[in-house]
Amino acid sequence: MSEDKNALGYAKLAPKTPVPSDIEVSQQIVKEVGLLPVADVAKQVGLKDDEVIPWGIAKAKIPLKARDSRKDLPDGNYVVVTGINPTPLGEGKSTTTIGLAQALGAVLGKPTIACIRQPSQGPTFGIKGGAAGGGYAQVVPMEEFNLHLTGDIHAVTAANNLLAAAIDTRMFHECSQSDEALYKRLCPEGKGFSPVMKRRLKKLGIDATKKPADLTAEERSAFARLDIDPDTITWQRVLDTCDRHLREVQVGIGAKETVKAKGGDGRIQHCRKSGFDITVASEVMAVLALARDLADLREKLGAMVIGYSRAGKPITADDLGCGGALAVLMKDAIMPTLMQTVERTPVLVHAGPFANIATGNSSVVADEIALKLVGQDGFCVTEAGFGADIGMEKFFNIKCRYSGLKPKCAVIVATVRALKMHGGGPPVSAGKPLSKEYTEENVELVTKGAANLVKHIENAKKFGVNVVVAVNQFKNDTPAEIEAVKKASMDAGAYDAVLSNHWAKGGEGAADLAAAVVKACNDNDAANFKFLYDVNKTIKEKIEIISKEIYGADGVEFADLANKQIEQYEKSGFGNLPICIAKTQYSFSCDASAKGVPTGFNITVREIRSCAGAGFLYPICGEIMTVPGLPTRPGFYDVDVDLETGDVIGLF
């Protein structure tokens, strides 16, 4: 393939110095170099015309038949990109993912597809900025990637909130109606049971071939009354905005949200405390990321548990009659979106769960499609969110467990200056100049901070993959500091440690990293991959294994609420699900300020939510927010539109 690189339409970059802002680079590429028509991007990896659904000029949806029609073909090499615990100084994990894919494809001529998450608009307009990569290693057009894309996140929001509305509506109507009145309204005369109703009948052990009029009074009562215990409801509404004031709300306080009490003359105000999560933390998003096809998506959505009845029975989306409608809202979202990098190499964008409060990985189906399209000698480069203790651990133990895919190599991204912070460097404040510790040579700080990197390397090796460290280069890094990172990496058992400058030079700047990844994959058998724990262990045992093996904790403490929930989940048959711990991304511990490799700490589990539809349990540890807040000066201050050209300006 290397001889045909130019024929595939890859772009030859002419990087500028100093490197312009990310949005300026993106718009420069679009206007001066030009986008490759999305149909031609698809042809790079052998997609047929009927396997590409254009979505504007820069994007296309890829139906799952692109994978299914190639089911007998061998998979390519599976590579995950992760990083050290993030700092305000930035590590460049997304940039490295894209830069590595550009190097493998446009420089080395290897069939390669990058698979990344769709970014949330919360951090895009908040403090973190976009997630398209950066500099000369990014997805273009940046503004389309970071804003609405193909509407998948909006679909998740709509589906999640439809289910939330169904919960309160059902409780509202059950509050004032007898079982028989409920049943007659659910099954009006002349209408049979709908498909989702037949699912509930089957769950209750009632013959689903019966007609509504044929059910006994006892069967009608069991079918119609869910009797949801409001204290057990874990399902919240969502929005794709960082809005801290919606973390806790009271719903149903309107004047008309009252019902006549059964058996009395008084009125009952139907209200309760609830809250909002950010959309990417929704279980619907987790389902999207882990579903294998439309049928699996439908089953997972219908199986999502929103709470329990007063009798202790789990209540699902299908029980509420919502499963089919949710699947309809999500039917287009199951297809990944095809885009391109600044060097015109292909990218599949799909799903967008946060790693600190969800699975933190793009979808199973995007990776499966990519692995089939690139072929046995090609590469699927996929990204795991935040630090390796979160995104990589969930990638291995949850995503790979459900997909059956086996990675060969993990790339761990580190920077000299971020390691200095882990080594005890002073705090960094937005808008203030960096301290001299970060701009001048300080090998001692780098060496101390490298302990954080070493722990991540040791963790990755527990899964049987080869580890390549990518030292993401910054202009103030010195040869001695870079050498200190490389030495610490190799002493910890890394397969290789390579300096990479893709941000400033694109694929050419990551050529050495790409060569190291190729060699690491060739020198490893996918059969060496293994999980950290057996899902059949108890819930507490699995949480303790992750906490001790990955975080380095001494033990785990469970709050009374968490203990009560564990008992309920095991009784409901959810005890054998994998674990998705929600914790801060900034530290191995639950204390965000504890840099490096903390010791002598316990993990505290304050509550556990079930994501039974997606297929995992979700312990919340420490003070973790499921909807972030905005800073004093959010990113949206800089975002505007050029009224003459129509261009978006100010994204970062």
Side-chain angles (χ1 to χ4, degrees):
M1 178 173 171
S2 57
E3 296 178 359
D4 300 322
K5 287 189 295 179
N6 292 335
L8 290 169
Y10 296 147
K12 181 68 176 175
L13 291 180
K16 295 181 180 180
T17 305
V19 178
S21 70
D22 292 348
I23 187 68
E24 289 172 334
V25 169
S26 175
Q27 290 173 350
Q28 171 211 344
I29 294 296
V30 171
K31 293 175 181 178
E32 298 177 15
V33 179
L35 291 174
L36 192 65
V38 71
D40 291 343
V41 177
K43 289 175 183 175
Q44 287 179 355
V45 286
L47 284 164
K48 302 172 184 175
D49 290 345
D50 65 350
E51 295 173 333
V52 181
I53 303 172
W55 212 280
I57 62 172
K59 309 179 293 288
K61 283 284 193 179
I62 307 302
L64 303 194
K65 66 180 180 180
R67 172 201 62 188
D68 300 339
S69 65
R70 295 167 175 81
K71 66 180 186 299
D72 296 328
L73 298 179
D75 287 342
N77 296 282
Y78 201 22
V79 179
V80 61
V81 178
T82 182
I84 61 172
N85 289 104
T87 70
L89 292 161
E91 291 64 55
K93 189 165 59 323
S94 298
T95 306
T96 302
T97 301
I98 300 303
L100 172 58
Q102 289 174 193
L104 287 165
V107 179
L108 299 189
K110 302 287 186 181
T112 303
I113 298 176
C115 291
I116 59 176
R117 292 170 293 165
Q118 178 183 352
S120 164
Q121 289 179 27
T124 296
F125 290 120
I127 195 168
K128 186 174 180 287
Y136 288 99
Q138 62 169 297
V139 182
V140 291
M142 177 194 177
E143 55 268 49
E144 292 196 34
F145 176 88
N146 279 297
L147 298 177
H148 302 288
L149 199 64
T150 49
D152 293 353
I153 288 183
H154 301 319
V156 171
T157 303
N160 183 102
N161 292 345
L162 175 63
L163 181 54
I167 296 167
D168 286 299
T169 296
R170 186 57 170 264
M171 290 193 296
F172 176 85
H173 289 301
E174 286 192 16
C175 218
S176 62
Q177 298 183 48
S178 67
D179 293 353
E180 186 62 22
L182 274 171
Y183 186 75
K184 286 181 177 179
R185 285 177 171 82
L186 287 169
C187 306
E189 190 173 346
K191 292 196 73 171
F193 291 117
S194 69
V196 74
M197 288 178 167
K198 291 180 179 179
R199 287 173 178 253
R200 175 156 175 79
L201 292 171
K202 185 176 180 181
K203 176 181 176 179
L204 295 170
I206 300 172
D207 184 357
T209 64
K210 285 185 176 181
K211 295 179 180 179
D214 296 336
L215 265 63
T216 65
E218 184 179 354
E219 290 173 334
R220 293 183 182 203
S221 177
F223 174 84
R225 188 164 299 280
L226 301 182
D227 198 25
I228 300 169
D229 181 350
D231 292 335
T232 68
I233 296 173
T234 55
W235 197 265
Q236 304 208 114
R237 289 163 174 82
V238 298
L239 77 168
D240 195 35
T241 304
C242 295
D243 191 345
R244 67 193 329 130
H245 295 95
L246 293 178
R247 289 170 181 162
E248 186 172 318
V249 301
Q250 191 159 11
V251 298
I253 61 173
K256 294 187 178 296
E257 305 314 309
T258 63
V259 292
K260 185 177 180 181
K262 286 183 294 183
D265 297 328
R267 308 285 297 179
I268 297 174
Q269 186 79 40
H270 179 74
C271 62
R272 66 182 180 90
K273 281 188 176 181
S274 185
F276 279 74
D277 295 328
I278 196 160
T279 298
V280 288
S282 168
E283 185 178 354
V284 177
M285 180 63 84
V287 165
L288 177 64
L290 294 171
R292 303 297 298 278
D293 51 36
L294 187 58
D296 190 36
L297 179 77
R298 170 64 184 87
E299 291 301 318
K300 283 178 162 57
L301 291 171
M304 294 187 304
V305 173
I306 59 88
Y308 286 77
S309 70
R310 287 184 171 85
K313 302 294 184 183
I315 305 295
T316 67
D318 272 346
D319 290 328
L320 284 157
C322 254
L326 302 184
V328 168
L329 287 170
M330 295 294 295
K331 71 180 181 64
D332 290 332
I334 189 66
M335 297 183 286
T337 300
L338 178 68
M339 293 189 73
Q340 62 191 281
T341 70
V342 293
E343 295 187 63
R344 295 176 169 176
T345 61
V347 179
L348 285 176
V349 186
H350 203 208
F354 275 10
N356 58 344
I357 48 180
T359 54
N361 285 267
S362 59
S363 73
V364 166
V365 295
D367 288 1
E368 288 178 330
I369 290 171
L371 286 165
K372 291 300 182 186
L373 291 176
V374 299
Q376 191 167 10
D377 297 325
F379 292 82
C380 167
V381 181
T382 193
E383 178 191 9
F386 286 134
D389 58 316
I390 297 181
M392 182 193 72
E393 183 272 316
K394 295 172 182 179
F395 170 79
F396 289 144
N397 282 320
I398 300 176
K399 183 177 179 181
C400 291
R401 195 184 298 272
Y402 282 122
S403 70
L405 300 175
K406 296 183 177 181
K408 291 183 176 181
C409 175
V411 176
I412 300 181
V413 181
T415 65
V416 165
R417 61 185 196 172
L419 291 175
K420 286 180 177 179
M421 176 168 275
H422 280 293
V428 175
S429 299
K432 292 185 178 180
L434 292 178
S435 302
K436 62 182 178 61
E437 285 86 352
Y438 300 114
T439 59
E440 299 176 5
E441 182 173 279
N442 192 323
V443 176
E444 181 182 1
L445 268 186
V446 175
T447 302
K448 287 181 179 178
N452 183 272
L453 171 60
V454 165
K455 173 64 173 166
H456 288 299
I457 294 170
E458 293 171 349
N459 285 346
K461 286 175 65 64
K462 292 175 182 178
F463 295 90
V465 298
N466 280 340
V467 178
V468 174
V469 173
V471 186
N472 192 8
Q473 186 174 9
F474 283 76
K475 64 180 182 180
N476 292 322
D477 300 346
T478 69
E481 291 172 331
I482 293 166
E483 186 55 37
V485 180
K486 289 183 176 181
K487 184 179 187 305
S489 302
M490 299 307 290
D491 289 348
Y495 183 86
D496 206 347
V498 183
L499 185 66
S500 189
N501 193 16
H502 41 276
W503 180 78
K505 298 181 179 179
E508 289 288 351
D512 290 343
L513 175 62
V517 167
V518 171
K519 191 176 179 187
C521 288
N522 289 339
D523 284 354
N524 195 16
D525 190 326
N528 292 328
F529 175 72
K530 55 190 175 184
F531 301 120
L532 185 68
Y533 56 80
D534 181 347
V535 288
N536 293 314
K537 289 183 177 293
T538 67
I539 294 171
K540 285 189 174 181
E541 285 175 331
K542 288 178 285 195
I543 295 172
E544 287 168 353
I545 289 171
I546 296 170
S547 299
K548 292 177 179 179
E549 291 288 326
I550 301 298
Y551 309 152
D554 291 342
V556 182
E557 298 172 356
F558 295 89
D560 290 343
L561 175 60
N563 281 319
K564 181 180 177 182
Q565 290 167 326
I566 287 171
E567 182 180 354
Q568 189 172 48
Y569 295 150
E570 290 182 338
K571 187 187 301 182
S572 301
F574 304 149
N576 64 345
L577 295 177
I579 301 297
C580 180
I581 293 181
K583 64 177 281 291
T584 178
Q585 66 269 33
Y586 297 115
S587 173
F588 280 110
S589 72
C590 290
D591 178 1
S593 66
K595 303 301 180 187
V597 184
T599 57
F601 67 92
N602 286 335
I603 295 292
T604 299
V605 179
R606 58 184 176 88
E607 67 171 296
I608 303 177
R609 297 183 184 180
S610 73
C611 288
F616 57 81
L617 296 177
Y618 170 13
I620 299 178
C621 303
E623 294 302 316
I624 189 77
M625 296 296 180
T626 53
V627 57
L630 290 170
T632 305
R633 191 188 191 283
F636 61 66
Y637 270 79
D638 299 309
V639 179
D640 214 319
V641 60
D642 185 318
L643 298 179
E644 293 185 5
T645 65
D647 290 342
V648 174
I649 57 176
L651 283 177
F652 68 103

